[in-house]
Amino acid sequence: MSQALHAEIAGIKFDDIFLNASGVHCQTTAELDELLATKGTGAIITKSATSAYRAGNPSPRLSKIPLGSINSMGLPNEGLDYYLDYVTTKQADKPMLLSVAGVSYTENLDILHKVQDSSFMGITELNLSCPNVPGKPQTAYDFETTERLLTEVFAFFTKPLGVKMPPYFDIVHFDDMAKILNKFPLAHVNTINSIGNGLWINEDTDTVVIKPKGGFGGIGGALAKPTALANVRAFRQRLNPTIKMIGTGGVVNGRDVYEHILCGADLVSVGTQLQFEGPSMFARLEQELLAIMAEKGYTSVDDFRGQLKIIE
Ligand code: RRO
């Protein structure tokens, strides 16, 4: 815990700014327990839950690639009840976020009704950006459906709710999606999910490296950093200040974390690097970030959040 690294979302206080990216080290209660006990995590988030257990796509479904990872996990998870039970019964000294991801429009509504009717009072994050379910496009690339869904959701959902967004690559898309998101009392926007449907080829065998979808999968890790920073920056410039931001994508070291905060992130989540380095990574990132802050004379993340300079 560090007083320099703090954040607040929906009135919930975070004593550190790091958490896992949903999907990494968070499918089982054992993994979640481990993250809760890890020095450096200020919160944890569950694997995105569907209504029922899903085995996910066939393996190999995740591969390390130079400068990152490619995955097509296919939403393997233990089902909503498993994660709801965990976040409502676990005694924790850190906030626990519940990630949910229906594979259809109505499943999203059904899941959120169940969360609304539960005793869970923490932050729910609606994943609008799973790139890997065969035949199911990412909701957040369909702007009309996203607006319709959020309108229906906020008609009944009164608990803190954030959204996980895919990367956008066009300024008009930043403008249009921010206008939609600003219509709702969102607790936070988390950006980015993996860069959908990349392809990596093994040089020795001329073969793809993951089995599902003919080798297509979401790209994460260092390769994703410029896109992640652009999305954090673009949304921070456009979203209502009441909507907090979780920056995700391309974090390997403390400098990457620092840059996410410069672009406007309140919390920073880490996926690919956590997958390959393990939870001890968080203490390292914290040390590296604090060293950068000390060198620059900053005593709190508030001193530089959103303070990216541009060339006039
Ligand atoms: O499970 C996955 O394949 C997956 C999901 Br739900 C997601 O949101 N992002 C990702 O890279 N993989």
Side-chain angles (χ1 to χ4, degrees), residues 192 195 221-232 249-250 259-260 263:
I192 59 172
I195 304 174
L223 283 169
K225 188 174 86 162
T227 302
L229 293 177
N231 277 263
V232 174
E259 291 179 3
H260 266 274
C263 290

Side-chain angles (χ1 to χ4, degrees), residues 22 47-48 57 71-76 101 127 129-133 164 193-194 218:
S22 175
K47 172 67 185 172
S48 297
N57 292 337
N71 89 82
S72 184
M73 304 298 287
L75 212 30
N127 182 355
S129 49
C130 176
N132 301 329
V133 179
K164 178 76 171 279
N193 206 319
S194 53

Side-chain angles (χ1 to χ4, degrees), residues 97 166 173 245 284 303:
L97 284 74
H173 292 164
M245 293 207 62
R284 175 180 65 78
D303 295 342

